[in-house]
Amino acid sequence: MHNDILDIFYNHVIKEAQTGRVNCLSYFNILFNTEIQGEVITTANYRDDLYVPTLIIRNKALFDEYLVYYVKCALEFYDDNNFDEDILDNKVYDEIDKICKEKVILTLLWSNATSDDFRDPISFLQRRIAFIKNTQENIEDIGYCDILSSNISIQIKKDKIFNETPFLLNVSLTNGDYKYELPQVKFGLCDNKLYIYAIQNKGMEMNSYTKKMKRLLYKLDENFDRTQDNYELYGEGNLADITKSFLLVANIAVFYLKRYNIDEIVIPSILIERWNAKVIASNLRLKFDEQKQNEIQNNITQKLIRTFLRLKYHHETLEITSYPMEFDNCLHLSLHEGIICNDHILEKTALLAQPIKQHKK
């Protein structure tokens, strides 16, 4: 198994990745160069206007060790529903393309890497392993929020292999038979840090209760001073127009996950391979509008960053330690003890979410 994983990676994945298309029965649009211990191994031949990261492997022996261990962890973690039936039946495996579960795992791994991760892949692999090992599925009712007239339930569950993190967090507001689903939080835990890669809306049926919840969430603007919403203070433009459901679920997720001894929050600003994949797919369809794609990606990236900058505005125990591109490509916030909040909804839900007892490290 050890040699098979390394053979698939070095002789197939990285060579196909230089073309921007890795054959895993379905083609994955993954594009990167590779350099091993100072030697250039592959160089991408693709559009000049794409940012092509270089996977820099400085210590191959250690990198190989963690790469093999990550694949073994992923094989145990992701059930067969994450893979095509023909791959599971070994109907498409051959010596030319080596299409198999291991190849899917080795390819999709890099779709969640930042440009910093490509430069330090051992730390990246250690982090992805921790994301799998440090979290467990769980469902918990955290209590009744009188301001929202709703019970709040939190679920941590496994996510699909194609998505940003192994686990996601769901938050549901319920009143009797009515339910309002907040957006999903894609997160990982490593070294007392909470990494949040995405917050994504779920499809939801509109009814009187969901409409009422949407109206209630606009109260989150009542304690926001728009006169202080400027670039000099927050570095990312307007914080007034963030999506209120994103703000609420970020608030609940942060204080709920604090039970895992979290003292820092890290928000990656862009997953370069996911951006490249969209560009490659658009080029293949001959419908690429570069300006529109840039606007869409910039909006997605800035929306996530602004959500946490807005959360910091409301919580005194949150402190920005670095903005994207200052230390790395991520927004970093320190999370101190206690809850001191200037918004009633955020304060109440944070108090409900916070743990009664800390989990042991």
Side-chain angles (χ1 to χ4, degrees), residues 304-320:
L304 184 61
I305 297 294
R306 286 200 304 270
T307 296
F308 282 88
L309 294 176
R310 174 68 181 268
L311 189 65
K312 178 262 174 289
Y313 170 88
H314 292 291
H315 283 280
E316 287 190 28
T317 52
L318 276 175
E319 176 189 358
I320 297 171

Side-chain angles (χ1 to χ4, degrees), residues 16 21-29 84 87 92 99 103-104 107 162:
E16 293 177 48
R21 303 270 284 165
V22 180
N23 185 4
C24 293
L25 189 59
S26 297
Y27 278 89
F28 295 134
N29 299 328
D84 189 279
I87 291 178
V92 293
I99 297 170
K103 189 177 184 184
V104 173
T107 301
F162 303 98

Side-chain angles (χ1 to χ4, degrees), residues 277-294:
K278 292 176 183 177
V279 176
I280 294 170
S282 296
N283 283 333
L284 292 170
R285 292 193 298 268
L286 301 179
K287 294 181 179 180
F288 181 63
D289 184 332
E290 184 172 355
Q291 181 177 354
K292 183 177 181 180
Q293 289 290 340
N294 281 327

Side-chain angles (χ1 to χ4, degrees), residues 142 145 148 150-155 168-174 179-186 198-204 209-210 213-214 216-217 220 243-253 345-346 349:
I142 62 171
C145 179
L148 298 176
S150 302
N151 291 296
I152 302 177
S153 177
I154 296 176
Q155 179 186 28
L168 62 84
L169 182 144
N170 284 324
V171 177
S172 301
L173 309 179
T174 57
K179 177 183 286 191
Y180 181 81
E181 296 275 3
L182 291 175
Q184 294 181 333
V185 178
K186 307 300 180 75
I199 298 177
Q200 297 172 355
N201 270 319
K202 297 173 61 177
M204 184 169 51
Y209 178 67
T210 56
M213 288 298 102
K214 284 180 175 288
L216 273 175
L217 292 187
L220 290 168
T243 302
K244 307 306 180 286
S245 59
F246 279 44
L247 178 61
L248 179 58
V249 79
N251 181 70
I252 293 171
I345 294 176
L346 297 180
T349 52

Side-chain angles (χ1 to χ4, degrees), residues 207-224:
N207 53 48
S208 59
Y209 178 67
T210 56
K211 291 177 181 177
K212 176 184 177 182
M213 288 298 102
K214 284 180 175 288
R215 289 193 299 271
L216 273 175
L217 292 187
Y218 277 101
K219 291 181 176 291
L220 290 168
D221 279 338
E222 290 181 355
N223 294 302
F224 181 70

Side-chain angles (χ1 to χ4, degrees), residues 155-169:
Q155 179 186 28
I156 294 175
K157 61 183 291 188
K158 289 184 178 182
D159 207 349
K160 296 295 185 182
I161 193 172
F162 303 98
N163 293 329
E164 292 86 348
T165 53
F167 287 93
L168 62 84
L169 182 144

Side-chain angles (χ1 to χ4, degrees), residues 114 116-117 127 190-197 234 236 254 262-269 304-306 308-309 312 317-336:
T114 66
D116 295 314
D117 294 328
R127 191 179 315 121
C190 179
D191 294 334
N192 303 107
K193 297 177 183 179
L194 166 62
Y195 291 80
I196 295 183
Y197 280 69
Y234 300 108
E236 292 292 339
V254 164
I262 298 304
D263 55 26
E264 184 176 348
I265 304 166
V266 183
I267 315 296
S269 61
L304 184 61
I305 297 294
R306 286 200 304 270
F308 282 88
L309 294 176
K312 178 262 174 289
T317 52
L318 276 175
E319 176 189 358
I320 297 171
T321 54
S322 69
Y323 289 96
M325 310 312 295
E326 287 186 344
F327 172 69
D328 55 20
N329 289 326
C330 304
L331 173 69
H332 292 258
L333 304 100
S334 289
L335 178 59
H336 303 296

